[in-house]
Amino acid sequence: MQNATWFRETLEFAKLLHHGQVDKAGAPYWLHLERVARRLAERFPDATKAQLQAALLHDAIEDAGATADDLRNAGIEEEAIAAIRLVSRNLDPDGTYLEWIGRIAASGNVTAIRVKLADNLDNSDPARVAAIAAGPRMVAEKYAPARAILEQAL
């Protein structure tokens, strides 16, 4: 998977889109994107190209201002774009976080559900949680309940 040209090209595109962005712990943001893709591949050995593209680009619309056309023009598969749109909170801002997670789960879009689950697993990683002051509270109140909803949807 990581040896595939498309994987490297998609990661480079993600790095370009998120250039200069850092996560809550101050690390380059693209490292989170790469970890999400790796977690998805580990958790789901049958992960498709579209699922891995969506994992690498899951925050492209929400955090980098990319559009579906930007992604399409970069050669991203339509299945991946649909999933990225589903997991972009700014495109579905109504209600609470858990209500939004419920809508992703109810969509039946396996790619979006898998990507959001892999994102959740990375955000819940003990090393990341320890680096953020509000980390333990976020896991207990936000990520653990969301993970249960997403797991049940699969």
Side-chain angles (χ1 to χ4, degrees):
M1 179 258 318
Q2 281 80 355
N3 293 329
T5 300
W6 63 262
F7 186 91
R8 287 191 306 275
E9 289 173 352
T10 305
L11 179 58
E12 290 305 315
F13 181 53
K15 287 179 182 181
L16 178 67
L17 290 174
H18 293 275
H19 179 75
Q21 292 180 351
V22 295
D23 66 13
K24 291 176 182 158
Y29 196 76
W30 69 268
L31 292 170
H32 163 68
L33 305 172
E34 185 176 37
R35 285 193 309 270
V36 169
R38 290 184 191 281
R39 287 181 190 280
L40 189 141
E42 289 167 7
R43 174 78 164 70
F44 305 103
D46 65 339
T48 66
K49 176 181 177 180
Q51 290 171 354
L52 293 165
Q53 284 181 326
L56 289 168
L57 295 166
H58 72 274
D59 283 331
I61 291 173
E62 184 174 338
D63 292 340
T67 66
D69 282 340
D70 294 334
L71 301 176
R72 201 169 283 115
N73 291 336
I76 305 306
E77 293 190 5
E78 288 299 324
E79 177 186 333
I81 295 168
I84 294 163
R85 290 179 54 80
L86 269 171
V87 302
S88 296
R89 182 79 195 263
N90 62 332
L91 299 181
D92 184 9
D94 296 334
T96 68
Y97 176 79
L98 289 178
E99 289 170 341
W100 172 63
I101 292 294
R103 288 191 295 276
I104 293 171
S107 76
N109 184 312
V110 173
T111 296
I113 296 166
R114 284 182 169 192
V115 166
K116 197 61 193 164
L117 181 58
D119 181 42
N120 180 298
L121 291 170
D122 191 60
N123 287 331
S124 301
D125 182 90
R128 288 196 77 198
V129 171
I132 303 167
R137 183 176 48 79
M138 285 178 16
V139 169
E141 295 176 5
K142 182 176 178 180
Y143 295 131
R147 186 166 49 255
I149 293 167
L150 294 165
E151 290 277 7
Q152 186 174 12
L154 292 174

